[in-house]
Amino acid sequence: MNNSANEPISEKLDLKTKIAYGAGDLGPAITANILIFYLSPFLTDVAGLNPGLAGQTQLVGKVWDAVNDPMVGVMSDKTRSRLGRRYPWILAGAIPFGFFFFLQWIVPKFSNNPDGQQWGLFWYYTFISIAFGWLYTVVNLPYTALTPEMTQDYDERTSLNSYRFAFSIGGSILSVVLVGIIGSMFPEVRQRYLVIGAVCAVLGSLPLFWCVWGTFDRMKAIGLQRPESEQPVSIPIAQQIKIALSNRPFLFVVGIYLCSWLSFQLTAAIIPYFVGSWMRLNSPWAVPSVVLAVQLTAMLVLPLWNAASQRIGKRGVYAAGMVLWIIAQGGLFFLQPGQLTLMYVLAVMSGFGVSVAYLIPWSMLPDVIELDELQTGQRREGIFYSFVTFLQKVSLGIAVAIVLQSLGWAGYVKPTEAVQLPVQPDEVLLAIRLSIGPVPTIALLIGMVLVYFYPITREVHAEIRLKLHERKHNPS
């Protein structure tokens, strides 16, 4: 790509650029999916933390992101380098990101005293959670902030995000397949998690370099054509936050995203316990097969939702996907042990909704950012994306803490070498079913209401783009 500042670049992206951009979410998706589905049972059943401490250690790491995410977002907005604003962060964080992911699957010995060992493990995993969360932000937030910079076309952004989430869901699927394969090869549970951690650490880091290599020419051309996209932000951080929170469409996107991902992550946190303790399945492929049904469906229907969004709009697509997801989520509460076929049917239905939750909120966010540019005169992708990634992490932390604390209060019985699938008290089973059924369903219903009132349609976005174009070419 040899564009000069005087040669207008197309808002349509070529296939190579879309694929390379999508690859940037492969590594974070692999690591995030493993953590969502397997870190909680690892901490409680392998490391031996009691459920309450296991939930708290993850929540502390996510709360730290309240400082971490906006800080990285603002700093990346202010970065000036020959590589632009975003790439230095991705390149610097890629390898440490993989290394700290691996450290989460080690079980260090701190004390022969059970109480001392509990607290030693708590502080170890809390530190690792904070460090990995920070590194996840360092690589993923600048990456996601590339979306509105790469194209200003309303539908092309949805298409670009469909590539991103094809890789994201593909990474989730790959991680689950790896867990099944490695679980079959390594029957000793602690060794199994170490191998999973090592393999996924490598796979988590490498695609980030592919993303930088494959999109750099596009971003360099944009820097020549639209130099304002690479200008560091001058607004003080406190004022930036205030302006972002006064952006009404942004608050709608935040609410929509939070409702859908709180539902997903709450379900993901409880799935291993639901499949084992309630459905009484104990093979290495039991949990991976359910996750695969959801994620494979989500990936396959992404192109359908992408095409549908161009015909009925983002709000219509979101509503259609949520209806299927709500039916499936509510149905899980009534599912009985032995109803395996119905379990997979509900998992497939959930995949339709999860696909929409990946695609639509993220394709709404660039439109909100351009409204902010119209109001402030500056491009501030970092601060907006930092709020969303912060909420993603905090919703996960809260979901996991709620799930594990409720299991601890209800009297969760840990597996042992002799009894790998103990019978749980009725109170534990009820807590599991409530966490996978009614609670996520309520959040999804709230999200549906928010989408109905979301104000930026295709027509409104076109008007925003027109005003930005007029201001650029006819400055007052």
Side-chain angles (χ1 to χ4, degrees):
M1 188 175 296
N2 298 312
N3 297 79
S4 73
N6 296 319
E7 296 175 342
I9 57 175
S10 172
E11 294 301 335
K12 303 297 182 182
L13 304 174
D14 59 43
L15 182 61
K16 168 185 168 291
T17 302
K18 287 182 178 180
I19 291 175
Y21 175 77
D25 216 29
L26 180 63
I30 290 172
T31 56
N33 199 64
I34 294 290
L35 293 175
I36 289 170
F37 287 102
Y38 298 104
L39 183 58
S40 292
F42 169 79
L43 293 175
T44 58
D45 300 350
V46 180
L49 272 176
N50 71 58
L53 286 180
Q56 291 173 34
T57 190
Q58 296 181 68
L59 181 59
V60 169
K62 306 309 177 190
V63 170
W64 165 248
D65 286 331
V67 176
N68 168 41
D69 282 13
M71 178 180 66
V72 174
V74 170
M75 290 175 67
S76 75
D77 278 343
K78 290 179 176 290
T79 297
R80 297 195 71 166
S81 79
R82 62 184 181 84
L83 297 177
R85 292 191 293 175
R86 315 299 178 190
Y87 292 131
W89 292 84
I90 300 172
L91 293 173
I95 292 176
F97 167 75
F99 178 69
F100 273 85
F101 176 79
F102 171 73
L103 293 180
Q104 292 177 102
W105 309 101
I106 294 174
V107 185
K109 181 74 173 179
F110 291 104
S111 173
N112 292 323
N113 179 280
D115 194 51
Q117 177 68 1
Q118 282 283 304
W119 285 105
L121 290 173
F122 171 79
W123 289 114
Y124 172 78
Y125 291 119
T126 297
F127 170 74
I128 297 299
S129 178
I130 290 172
F132 177 77
W134 180 73
L135 288 164
Y136 185 98
T137 300
V138 163
V139 298
N140 194 244
L141 194 153
Y143 161 74
T144 57
L146 289 172
T147 308
E149 298 175 354
M150 293 187 70
T151 178
Q152 297 180 340
D153 185 88
Y154 183 84
D155 291 318
E156 192 70 358
R157 283 172 173 170
T158 305
S159 174
L160 184 62
N161 273 303
S162 72
Y163 279 83
R164 172 191 169 187
F165 292 120
F167 273 93
S168 181
I169 300 172
S172 300
I173 292 170
L174 175 61
S175 69
V176 171
V177 171
L178 286 173
V179 168
I181 293 173
I182 294 171
S184 301
M185 295 173 61
F186 296 90
E188 203 282 311
V189 179
R190 187 173 296 193
Q191 185 182 25
R192 178 190 309 168
Y193 277 107
L194 273 176
V195 175
I196 290 170
V199 171
C200 292
V202 175
L203 294 177
S205 295
L206 292 181
L208 293 166
F209 295 100
W210 177 11
C211 173
V212 172
W213 171 76
T215 62
F216 182 75
D217 284 348
R218 170 73 183 183
M219 293 304 298
K220 183 178 179 180
I222 288 174
L224 293 171
Q225 186 71 44
R226 297 196 292 265
E228 72 277 4
S229 68
E230 287 296 330
Q231 290 302 309
V233 174
S234 59
I235 302 173
I237 182 171
Q239 188 178 347
Q240 287 200 52
I241 294 173
K242 182 179 179 180
I243 294 172
L245 293 178
S246 66
N247 186 317
R248 183 169 170 267
F250 175 61
L251 297 180
F252 274 96
V253 173
V254 165
I256 294 163
Y257 185 84
L258 182 59
C259 287
S260 56
W261 279 96
L262 181 61
S263 302
F264 175 76
Q265 291 171 328
L266 184 60
T267 304
I270 203 66
I271 274 286
Y273 302 99
F274 180 81
V275 171
S277 298
W278 178 248
M279 299 301 291
R280 306 303 298 170
L281 303 176
N282 193 33
S283 75
W285 281 98
V287 175
S289 65
V290 176
V291 178
L292 278 174
V294 176
Q295 298 283 27
L296 189 58
T297 301
M299 184 172 71
L300 291 176
V301 300
L302 262 179
L304 301 179
W305 289 133
N306 180 40
S309 73
Q310 298 182 34
R311 294 180 63 88
I312 64 175
K314 296 172 185 178
R315 292 189 298 183
V317 165
Y318 188 88
M322 288 305 104
V323 167
L324 292 171
W325 194 1
I326 287 168
I327 294 171
Q329 206 74 52
L332 288 171
F333 178 77
F334 299 101
L335 194 67
Q336 298 298 309
Q339 294 180 319
L340 299 185
T341 301
L342 181 56
M343 178 179 72
Y344 289 110
V345 169
L346 294 175
V348 169
M349 289 178 64
S350 297
F352 279 83
V354 168
S355 183
V356 168
Y358 275 106
L359 182 63
I360 297 303
W362 285 110
S363 63
M364 289 175 170
L365 192 54
D367 307 335
V368 169
I369 290 170
E370 284 176 343
L371 175 61
D372 175 72
E373 182 186 1
L374 183 63
Q375 295 170 342
T376 67
Q378 296 194 354
R379 301 282 300 187
R380 303 187 305 132
E381 291 89 347
I383 190 68
F384 284 97
Y385 277 89
S386 69
F387 268 96
V388 177
T389 55
F390 156 64
L391 284 170
Q392 180 182 12
K393 294 176 185 179
V394 169
S395 66
L396 173 60
I398 292 172
V400 170
I402 290 172
V403 166
L404 295 182
Q405 192 66 67
S406 65
L407 295 185
W409 287 336
Y412 177 74
V413 180
K414 296 179 184 178
T416 63
E417 290 280 340
V419 184
Q420 296 186 3
L421 195 61
V423 176
Q424 299 292 342
D426 290 343
E427 292 80 3
V428 171
L429 297 177
L430 179 60
I432 290 172
R433 294 171 65 213
L434 288 172
S435 297
I436 206 169
V439 177
T441 301
I442 291 169
L444 292 175
L445 288 169
I446 295 172
M448 287 273 283
V449 174
L450 293 173
V451 164
Y452 180 79
F453 290 102
Y454 176 67
I456 300 183
T457 61
R458 180 181 282 106
E459 293 73 25
V460 172
H461 177 260
E463 185 179 347
I464 293 170
R465 291 295 320 139
L466 179 61
K467 290 179 179 178
L468 285 171
H469 182 270
E470 290 176 348
R471 186 168 69 189
K472 178 180 177 181
H473 291 87
N474 301 294
S476 57

